Amino acid sequence: MTTHSPALPSFEETVAQYDPVLGFEVHVELNTASKIFSSAPNAFGDEPNTNLTEVDLGMPGALPTMNYGAIEAAIKLGLALNCSIAETCRFARKHYFYPDVPKNFQISQYDEPIAFDGWVDVELDDGELFRVEIERAHLEEDAGKLTHVGTSGRIHAASYALVDYNRAGVPLIEIVSKPIEGAGDRAPELARAYVRTIRDIVRALDISDAHMERGNLRCDANVSLQPKGATEFGTRTETKNVNSMRTVAQAVEYEMRRQAAVLTAGDQVNQETRHWQEDTRTTSPGRSKSDADDYRYFREPDLVPIEVDQAWLDRLRAELPELPDQRRRRLKAEWGTSDATFRDLVHAGALDVIEATVDAGATPEAARKWWMGELARLAHARGTSLEGLGVTPEDVVEVESLVAEDLINDKIARQLLGYVADGEGAPREIVAARALAVVSDDEVLGQAVDAAIAEHPDAVDKITNGKLQAIGALIGPVMRATGGQADTGRVRELIMHKLGVAE
Amino acid sequence: MNHHEMIRLTALQMAEELRKKTFSSVELTRAHFERIYEIDGTAEAGIHAYLHLNEDEAYAVAAEVDAIRAAGGAEAEQLHPYAGVPIAIKDNIVTIGQPTTAASKMLEGWMSPYDATVIRTIRAAKLPILGKNNMDEFAMGSTTEYSAFGVTRNPWDLNRAPGGSGGGSAAAVAAFMAPWALGSDTGGSIREPAAFTGTVGTKPTYGSVSRYGLIAMASSFDQIGPHARTTADAAALHQLIAGHDPKDATSLRTSWDGLLDAAQNQDLRGMRIGVLDELQGPGFTDEIDRQFETVLDMLRDAGAIVSIVECPNIKYALPAYYLVVPSEASSNLARFDGLRYGNRVVPHEGATAAEVMAASREAGFGDEVKRRIILGTYALSAGYVDAYYSSAQRVRTLVQQDLNKAFEKVDVMIGPTTPTVAVPMGEQVSDPVSMYLDDVVTTPANLAGIPAISIPGGTADHGMPVGMHIQGPAKADEVVYRVAAGLERLIEEATGVPFYDRAPELTAAVTMEGERL
């Protein structure tokens, strides 16, 4: 057994000596209305042990029945991952005794996954595409949730455990990648980008809420190292249930450095599951794979085989929405955006809002200008996301048209967006309520100009004597009198007209 | 009509008399409870067919039926034709409001929070449920000696076993403690006790009756079916409970509306009846063989065409059965771990979940259940699964193919249900393998999912009943009932009385000492 040593090699030293081989198992919780084998609601955050039927509790005599919505979700995901879809497939029982598994077996797909042999292109930070081969995507049921109650909240020191079976029977799709070679020093980045790619796809398909912090999307990361130039894979470890894209990258990087230290010291890497420790940003050993359970798989006799005929497959294929990579290609072309600028948009998470703003009637330039400019600044200052700011694409379109109508200028527009974000109402309402509109009414401006002329005879003399630059001395008071909202160009025209001078 | 006469009617006759208001459902229900109190007794002395009586609810349902009938009008007309006829339920079918234990300490006192689909059907038809019948623990056994709550005895001879695992249900029906009962048949658990007690029991086509709420032994074999005293009663109850159930994925969409009609068509002329070559000869007692020959002569005389058919792989059916069934059972019984319901044993302070599970299972399961869990766990374990479980499944396919081929030549197949008549109590508990061999005739039907029935085919050794086993192709339950009803009539004509009337006249005075020959 290896323990954490403070003297791990740096990441640079690690990748100089070793090549990583990665593998990912991503669990996606589906957002079906009911559970995979029962009619109980599939909902997050409800009172514990309320979303249950006798099926979810594994009561004597209760039988599972298939939720075909979950199957359709799996087929759609399989198609989106360029997989082959099985014409017929079955479920199996995977046996292990654990209190969160009500039947002491999990109904899963074993040797007959519904989707297999696919691939997905993962876009790295610099826009480079990295193809990850998919081995399979299969359906299974989630287990309940155990909360270990004790001093540390961890299983070993717990004095008792609470079980919430609300999650038991929630449909899951497990996506298993093939071994990924060649990522080199970009392995952590690839891990993050891969999980993000899967998340974006399942969101586009609308088959999962894909909140990693709620466990809707969970990733187990397999890592092994081999000396540079070696052809045989090293011994791998599996880091379980990493629950954010950032930590997936950190876990891969840490595990690479840890294994490098073990190998460089001439030791063997243990094949084992490991757990990510958020507080220390390290992994710690879990169960050793050498005492792995015998799951005693056999075909689930309570369910009939699933037959996927061509007509069903064709319908689901036709129903597929535009997928994230297709969409990015289309938007980049439609907006005429450069690669670099577009990547900035994507990284800023601004794609959705900008597209919605364009759809609501703004030009791509205007939409990008406001969201990447003032609104990004506001969101940053307020510690929220663009979506969390409370400004809608329609608001932005309205602000843009107020500027186009010369009712407000850019400076006022920026203030106005702040007021919208404060929840003061729609832009036009705020302009009216706060009287923000630019004043170009000749009567109002004329009175202010008359007052300025009366109050500043020196300036009037200079202007009438040809010193036109003195006109500023009159514009200033007019602006002050109108709260800064006067249309300066018109004010200038009025002063010159009243004093009978020409440019 | 007095109570004694009332309980000796067939279920269909009871239904008719209730409709004619000859007697009320409350009266009929009371007659049955009186009979139960009179003769059922205890495991130590008596038949002990019931583990639990459901008097309050049964009388309430009966009174409701009576009130609806008395009031007349639309509601009375909408009553199910069998409304008010009582029924008994094997204790592995879950029922709200009554304990369901599957005769195991593991579930002692457990009250199901939901009803099995068949129970919902029974309640909707307003059949008063008399109570829950004894059985072998989790339906594992061929004698009803493996109940955790004491044995059931054969009403024909209290020193003999009633068969299993549905011995309680069969004994209740044989001894007029219920006109009919619901049982479950995984490898003969309805038919074998029917043969031993001189009653009728059907294993329907797999998927004919919903399994939802049947505590599973082996999911791909289990089938709920009727225990009755006549073929027509069995067909009527089968028809009542059959039909598609969205809660059971293996439930068929076939229509079963013709079962009772088929059981009333007793014409055997031209019916092609096969006798399995492989199941003749050794193993069956001489008297059973003789009785079978008598039956075959009767069938020929009635115009049936009897021929020998071959199923070369059927000799492997029993070993295949005893590999796949324990495998599925070891999986299905995994849920009984003492954590969520049923028996919990905490071995010491601070026990881990695994220790609680182990202690609960050690204390809660009986020997036969443990034996099969261990067998099944072994047969499924990595390294052995191909040699045992998978090859047994291949045999299963071969047996299915053999039977399909045989049914191209014949409409049904017939043979004795069991190699011997009911065995003396205690004889097989010490020799489980000999008990397993009792199932040699009945298990192929479960392997293949086909319908099969056992009806009384006369008496043999010691004057005990001998069962005749008729099986047909999948979904041909109607044909099976038709042949069974025809044979039943021939046997009744030969003796002049319905077979069930030849059962011993049990009274309170009857005890185990009463030798019956």
Side-chain angles (χ1 to χ4, degrees):
Chain A
M1 179 151 311
T2 55
T3 49
H4 170 55
S5 150
L8 290 186
S10 71
F11 185 65
E12 290 69 25
E13 287 165 340
T14 299
V15 293
Q17 276 188 280
Y18 298 100
D19 282 329
V21 178
L22 305 178
F24 300 104
E25 290 160 30
V26 176
H27 282 88
V28 180
E29 270 187 2
L30 300 182
N31 57 5
T32 50
S34 58
K35 294 189 180 178
I36 184 167
F37 300 125
S38 87
S39 57
N42 170 18
F44 176 84
D46 287 354
E47 185 77 9
N49 294 311
T50 53
N51 295 337
L52 294 174
T53 69
E54 60 268 16
V55 176
D56 311 293
L57 282 174
M59 283 281 173
L63 299 174
T65 49
M66 196 64 229
N67 176 349
Y68 277 80
I71 298 202
E72 297 207 336
I75 294 173
K76 283 182 182 174
L77 181 58
L79 292 173
L81 296 174
N82 306 292
C83 286
S84 301
I85 306 298
E87 284 173 31
T88 171
C89 66
R90 261 179 275 229
F91 284 85
R93 293 185 182 178
K94 176 182 180 179
H95 300 86
Y96 58 101
F97 282 81
Y98 205 66
D100 65 358
V101 186
K103 302 180 290 289
N104 288 314
F105 60 77
Q106 180 194 29
I107 304 177
S108 177
Q109 291 193 306
Y110 174 51
D111 50 355
E112 297 179 88
I114 188 151
F116 53 94
D117 287 347
W119 51 264
V120 63
D121 280 336
V122 176
E123 191 175 323
L124 299 176
D125 292 348
D126 64 358
E128 188 187 319
L129 293 180
F130 195 106
R131 180 159 291 190
V132 172
E133 309 271 339
I134 304 294
E135 180 165 311
R136 56 189 282 162
H138 68 254
L139 271 166
E140 61 187 31
E141 59 179 338
D142 209 344
K145 189 175 185 307
L146 280 176
T147 307
H148 297 283
V149 183
T151 46
S152 73
R154 293 213 194 123
I155 189 163
H156 296 299
S159 45
Y160 61 98
L162 300 173
V163 196
D164 176 7
Y165 288 112
N166 279 355
R167 200 178 65 183
V170 165
L172 288 181
I173 298 177
E174 181 176 342
I175 306 162
V176 182
S177 76
K178 290 183 180 162
I180 304 164
E181 298 176 75
D185 62 348
R186 306 192 73 173
E189 185 190 338
L190 174 63
R192 188 181 61 233
Y194 174 72
V195 175
R196 185 176 59 220
T197 302
I198 299 291
R199 185 202 60 180
D200 290 350
I201 289 173
V202 300
R203 280 195 180 159
L205 294 170
D206 193 24
I207 59 173
S208 172
D209 298 339
H211 293 303
M212 289 194 81
E213 69 282 7
R214 287 185 184 179
N216 295 150
L217 199 78
R218 316 196 281 267
C219 180
D220 300 343
N222 287 278
V223 175
S224 70
L225 292 187
Q226 59 197 91
K228 279 212 169 292
T231 50
E232 258 181 50
F233 290 174
T235 306
R236 72 172 187 279
T237 62
E238 180 183 10
T239 304
K240 303 290 279 185
N241 288 332
V242 197
N243 65 357
S244 79
M245 289 182 285
R246 179 177 51 84
T247 48
V248 170
Q250 289 173 344
V252 165
E253 178 173 336
Y254 176 80
E255 198 49 28
M256 285 170 65
R257 292 172 59 204
R258 188 190 68 81
Q259 291 185 18
V262 172
L263 294 173
T264 303
D267 292 334
Q268 299 270 324
V269 172
N270 285 336
Q271 184 169 337
E272 62 191 358
T273 59
R274 297 186 66 87
H275 300 283
W276 175 249
Q277 306 298 337
E278 186 59 45
D279 45 357
T280 56
R281 299 199 179 169
T282 59
T283 64
S284 62
R287 187 163 47 79
S288 167
K289 281 277 181 181
S290 58
D291 57 14
D293 287 316
D294 178 358
Y295 291 121
R296 305 195 314 283
Y297 284 101
F298 78 100
R299 282 177 186 165
E300 167 56 84
D302 287 326
L303 292 170
V304 290
I306 300 159
E307 316 267 347
V308 184
D309 63 22
Q310 196 57 44
W312 193 15
L313 202 57
D314 290 345
R315 177 172 66 74
L316 292 175
R317 200 186 294 275
E319 281 175 17
L320 283 185
E322 186 180 32
L323 293 170
D325 56 340
Q326 297 166 340
R327 177 178 169 226
R328 281 200 297 271
R329 278 199 297 275
R330 174 178 61 81
L331 291 179
K332 198 155 70 179
E334 281 179 10
W335 298 348
T337 320
S338 73
D339 285 356
T341 307
F342 195 81
R343 225 166 22 246
D344 288 346
L345 295 183
V346 172
H347 289 168
L351 210 55
D352 288 348
V353 283
I354 293 177
E355 188 186 16
T357 307
V358 173
D359 288 348
T363 63
E365 297 74 34
R368 194 171 74 239
K369 177 185 110 186
W370 291 116
W371 285 109
M372 295 298 285
E374 180 62 15
L375 288 167
R377 195 191 61 77
L378 267 180
H380 181 73
R382 298 181 181 200
T384 182
S385 64
L386 291 177
E387 281 91 350
L389 205 50
V391 178
T392 67
E394 289 73 21
D395 291 336
V396 175
V397 172
E398 206 170 306
V399 168
E400 177 64 15
S401 61
L402 287 168
V403 174
E405 291 164 31
D406 283 333
L407 278 170
I408 57 172
N409 52 32
D410 258 30
K411 183 176 156 238
I412 294 172
R414 283 197 295 276
Q415 289 170 5
L416 179 57
L417 286 167
Y419 299 140
V420 175
D422 290 340
E424 289 190 17
R428 268 181 210 279
E429 290 165 22
I430 299 172
V431 167
R434 286 186 167 259
L436 294 178
V438 169
V439 177
S440 52
D441 181 328
D442 281 1
E443 199 176 322
V444 176
L445 291 180
Q447 286 171 11
V449 168
D450 289 345
I453 289 172
E455 284 167 25
H456 298 280
D458 298 354
V460 171
D461 283 348
K462 285 178 183 165
I463 295 163
T464 48
N465 290 330
K467 288 191 173 173
L468 285 184
Q469 63 269 37
I471 223 165
L474 293 182
I475 292 175
V478 173
M479 292 306 285
R480 274 193 296 279
T482 57
Q485 287 167 251
D487 180 336
T488 47
R490 186 61 188 151
V491 171
R492 187 184 177 91
E493 281 169 21
L494 283 173
I495 292 170
M496 306 228 301
H497 175 73
K498 285 185 187 271
L499 298 180
V501 293
E503 294 275 355
Chain B
M1 197 178 286
N2 67 34
H3 284 186
H4 177 78
E5 292 162 343
M6 231 181 259
I7 59 173
R8 298 181 82 90
L9 298 174
T10 68
L12 288 171
Q13 286 166 344
M14 288 176 192
E16 194 181 338
E17 299 304 329
L18 285 172
R19 290 195 298 271
K20 293 195 308 203
K21 299 179 188 166
T22 311
F23 46 74
S24 70
S25 176
V26 168
E27 234 181 316
L28 182 63
T29 303
R30 181 171 297 123
H32 282 100
F33 280 122
E34 281 176 5
R35 174 73 171 174
I36 293 166
Y37 279 114
E38 188 184 10
I39 66 161
D40 198 38
T42 63
E44 289 71 33
I47 295 172
H48 194 230
Y50 283 91
L51 290 177
H52 170 77
L53 295 181
N54 184 41
E55 285 179 272
D56 291 348
E57 188 192 304
Y59 282 124
V61 171
E64 189 193 345
V65 171
D66 291 341
I68 293 170
R69 283 232 165 83
E75 211 186 336
E77 273 169 34
Q78 280 162 16
L79 268 183
H80 193 279
Y82 311 151
V85 179
I87 189 168
I89 308 291
K90 191 178 184 181
D91 200 34
N92 61 350
I93 298 173
V94 304
T95 46
I96 293 174
Q98 304 172 56
T100 300
T101 67
S104 179
K105 281 203 169 63
M106 189 57 94
L107 283 175
E108 190 166 7
W110 181 66
M111 304 285 279
S112 170
Y114 77 103
D115 270 334
T117 296
V118 288
I119 298 298
R120 293 167 67 107
T121 305
I122 295 296
R123 292 194 201 279
K126 299 195 194 308
L127 271 53
I129 295 173
L130 295 168
K132 305 297 282 289
N133 291 131
N134 199 10
M135 56 185 284
D136 283 304
E137 182 179 359
F138 286 111
M140 299 180 190
S142 303
T143 60
T144 314
E145 290 172 283
Y146 286 110
S147 166
F149 307 118
V151 302
T152 296
R153 295 171 189 279
N154 193 321
W156 286 70
D157 177 351
L158 297 190
N159 292 302
R160 289 178 187 273
S165 65
S169 300
V173 169
F176 304 97
M177 293 190 281
W180 51 21
L182 284 188
S184 69
D185 191 310
T186 305
S189 286
I190 291 174
R191 291 162 288 156
E192 195 236 24
F196 280 6
T197 60
T199 55
V200 175
T202 314
K203 196 286 279 190
T205 291
Y206 185 75
S208 164
V209 180
S210 170
R211 289 185 292 119
Y212 197 80
L214 170 66
I215 298 179
M217 168 153 73
S219 308
S220 68
F221 296 76
D222 296 343
Q223 189 53 213
I224 289 177
H227 290 272
R229 286 193 289 269
T230 69
T231 303
D233 279 3
L237 181 54
H238 181 174
Q239 191 169 320
L240 171 64
I241 58 174
H244 181 250
D245 179 10
K247 290 182 156 192
D248 175 356
T250 60
S251 165
L252 297 173
R253 292 180 183 274
T254 311
S255 165
W256 308 97
D257 293 345
L259 299 179
L260 181 55
D261 284 348
Q264 284 161 343
N265 173 3
Q266 298 158 347
D267 189 357
L268 294 174
R269 276 172 301 180
M271 194 61 76
R272 297 173 304 162
I273 297 176
V275 176
L276 259 183
D277 195 30
E278 289 79 7
L279 286 183
Q280 299 214 84
F284 294 83
T285 66
D286 292 345
E287 280 192 63
I288 283 187
D289 276 343
R290 258 201 301 281
Q291 188 58 31
F292 181 47
E293 287 304 327
T294 309
V295 162
L296 289 181
D297 287 342
M298 286 178 178
L299 291 170
R300 286 190 196 98
D301 290 348
I305 305 154
V306 176
S307 62
I308 303 288
V309 288
E310 288 175 359
C311 286
N313 291 297
I314 210 143
K315 54 182 172 294
Y316 307 119
L318 194 67
Y321 175 89
Y322 274 102
L323 280 171
V324 182
V325 167
S327 298
E328 291 191 12
S330 73
S331 171
N332 284 325
L333 268 59
R335 70 190 63 198
F336 301 102
D337 60 10
L339 292 191
R340 288 163 302 279
Y341 44 76
N343 172 67
R344 175 184 291 184
V345 176
V346 182
H348 53 81
E349 276 299 307
T352 64
E355 286 164 347
V356 172
M357 287 184 194
S360 301
R361 291 165 70 81
E362 163 59 23
F365 288 139
D367 289 345
E368 182 60 23
V369 174
K370 284 178 187 160
R371 181 152 46 224
R372 295 204 198 186
I373 289 173
I374 291 167
L375 276 172
T377 304
Y378 186 77
L380 284 178
S381 59
Y384 297 99
V385 64
D386 287 334
Y388 294 116
Y389 175 79
S390 302
S391 48
Q393 286 286 34
R394 284 192 286 276
V395 168
R396 187 177 190 174
T397 306
L398 293 176
V399 170
Q400 276 169 347
Q401 289 167 349
D402 273 7
L403 287 167
N404 288 344
K405 232 184 203 165
F407 284 124
E408 288 170 8
K409 299 193 187 86
V410 294
D411 298 306
V412 297
M413 282 190 269
I414 189 168
T417 310
T418 53
T420 68
V421 297
V423 291
M425 305 281 294
E427 196 169 81
Q428 289 183 337
V429 177
S430 55
D431 185 3
V433 174
S434 102
M435 177 178 80
Y436 296 167
L437 293 175
D438 276 353
D439 303 332
V440 66
V441 180
T442 50
T443 48
N446 301 80
L447 278 173
I450 61 175
I453 192 169
S454 178
I455 66 162
T459 55
D461 314 64
H462 315 291
M464 293 297 290
V466 50
M468 288 300 148
H469 188 250
I470 300 156
Q471 55 189 348
K475 303 187 190 178
D477 302 50
E478 283 184 20
V479 183
V480 170
Y481 278 118
R482 181 177 159 190
V483 174
L487 177 58
E488 182 180 69
R489 184 178 55 92
L490 297 175
I491 288 169
E492 183 177 332
E493 280 170 1
T495 55
V497 287
F499 190 87
Y500 59 83
D501 257 348
R502 293 156 64 184
E505 188 69 28
L506 294 169
T507 68
V510 172
T511 66
M512 286 173 54
E513 280 73 48
E515 178 83 89
R516 301 187 176 281
L517 289 170

